[in-house]
Every structure is written in C-alpha cells, then in structure tokens.
Amino acid sequence: MWVAVCPRCGFAVRWNPRGSRAPLRIWARTRTLNVRLGIAMSGAMAAGLISFAVMALLLDRRRDLAILETLSAPRRRELLSIYAMFAVSAAVCAAVSAIAFAPHRSMAVRIACAWLLGAAPMTLSVSLFPLMVGGRSTVGEVFDALRLGGDRIFLARIFLACAAIPLASALLAYALAPLQSRLTRFAARSFRRAQTLNNTGLQQV
C-alpha cells in the first residue's frame, strides 16, 4: 500500500491503492518496451547480416550473373534458388523488425527505422571487416568485381537484386501489420478479461 506524505510536515495524508501499483505498471511497460526493441533490433541486424551474405554471393557468382541467359537451366535454377532463400530470409527478418518498431508510427517510418537503424549499420560493419583485414588487395578485388569490364547489365542486376530485399520486406510488413494488430488487440482483451475475473474473485472473497 502506497502512502502519500505531505512534503511540508512529513505526515501521511492519504492511502492510495492505485499509487501502490504505479511502480509495477512502470516496470511492466519498461519490460514490454525492452522486449519489443530487442525483437526489432535483432530482426534488423539479422536482415543486415543476411543482406551482406546476398552481396557476397552475387559478387562471388558475378561471372554467372553476367551471362545468366546463357547458363544451363540447372545452374541458373541453383543460383536463383540460393539467392531467393537468402533474400526471403532477409525480407522476413526486416519485416518482423519493422512491425516491432514503434507501433504508434506509420509503417513507412518503421520500415525506414528497421533498415537505417539496424540493418544498414550491421551490413556496413560486416562489410568493412574484410576490407580492414585484407587491405588494398581486398579493395581492388571488390572494385574489379563491380567493374567487370564495364558491364552495365551486370551492375543493374546487382542493384535490382539488392533493392528487391527492402522492397519485399516492405510488402511483407504491410501485409503482416493487420495480423499483428489483431493479435495485439486479442491479447489485450484476454488480459483485461482475466484481470476482471481476478478482481471479481477477490471481491467475492
């Protein structure tokens, strides 16, 4: 039970049962915020890590990507299936992160937060690590891979393959947002119903 104290005389002035639950409510809201932020940042960092894996795959298979039309059907199917697996994984992680970010904001802002605050720093930090370890030789290999004889079609395919992941994550986030809202409302109603039944039982006792 929380007791209000007069700031001038120091004597108790009233009992406040609702005030006694204030620290518990603050702790519960802080815990919920920490859990939501942890899910959001974990999903965003996972999306950034998988996006780096996608870029590494594209640069490693740059020769096959440049002559994609002339590849045999099994080899082309293998390349596209590996890319699709990584791309869908990154898009799902980013969509989950966007849904968990700040529910009171618009979905566009949440998607931007997922990619700019979580995925982009992770991708940048992981990308800089081999450059720092390998030095100029690694930088030269990356530039050679990007140039590839000045093939603009290859660069366009690299750009489209990388840009498809944020676009897919945005579509998934918009598709899953109504489901998440319904689940949140259902959980809130269930909690209020259980709390009402609990209070009714205590009053009867």
Side-chain angles (χ1 to χ4, degrees):
M1 190 68 70
W2 181 81
V3 182
V5 179
C6 178
R8 288 183 292 180
C9 62
F11 289 102
V13 292
R14 65 185 174 92
W15 298 91
N16 189 353
R18 293 186 62 188
S20 64
R21 296 193 297 269
L24 181 61
R25 287 198 300 269
I26 293 173
W27 176 80
R29 290 173 183 173
T30 304
R31 183 186 61 179
T32 303
L33 179 61
N34 288 337
V35 171
R36 186 184 297 138
L37 186 61
I39 294 173
M41 291 304 296
S42 299
M45 289 189 291
L49 191 61
I50 300 173
S51 299
F52 172 78
V54 170
M55 290 189 293
L57 170 69
L58 295 177
L59 291 178
D60 183 62
R61 301 290 186 92
R62 57 187 181 273
R63 302 294 176 184
D64 294 339
L65 192 63
I67 55 172
L68 188 62
E69 292 83 359
T70 61
L71 291 177
S72 60
R75 195 169 180 181
R76 187 189 312 164
R77 195 179 306 114
E78 177 191 2
L79 178 62
L80 294 178
S81 62
I82 295 175
Y83 165 76
M85 180 183 65
F86 281 106
V88 169
S89 301
V92 170
C93 291
V96 171
S97 173
I99 291 174
F101 262 115
H104 56 284
R105 297 292 183 181
S106 65
M107 184 55 67
V109 173
R110 293 153 71 178
I111 294 170
C113 288
W115 281 103
L116 296 178
L117 299 181
M122 173 59 72
T123 305
L124 184 61
S125 60
V126 177
S127 302
L128 290 178
F129 180 75
L131 297 180
M132 292 185 295
V133 173
R136 294 183 177 179
S137 60
T138 306
V139 177
E141 291 176 2
V142 172
F143 277 110
D144 290 339
L146 290 176
R147 279 198 297 268
L148 196 65
D151 192 353
R152 294 183 179 179
I153 298 178
F154 167 75
L155 293 178
R157 286 173 179 171
I158 289 282
F159 175 77
L160 290 176
C162 294
I165 299 176
L167 179 60
S169 70
L171 295 177
L172 278 175
Y174 276 105
L176 295 176
L179 178 61
Q180 187 262 348
S181 300
R182 291 175 185 173
L183 290 176
T184 302
R185 288 195 296 269
F186 175 77
R189 284 197 301 266
S190 300
F191 177 76
R192 286 195 298 267
R193 191 180 302 115
Q195 195 174 25
T196 302
L197 292 175
N198 188 22
N199 294 335
T200 304
L202 289 177
Q203 289 176 1
Q204 290 177 355
V205 173

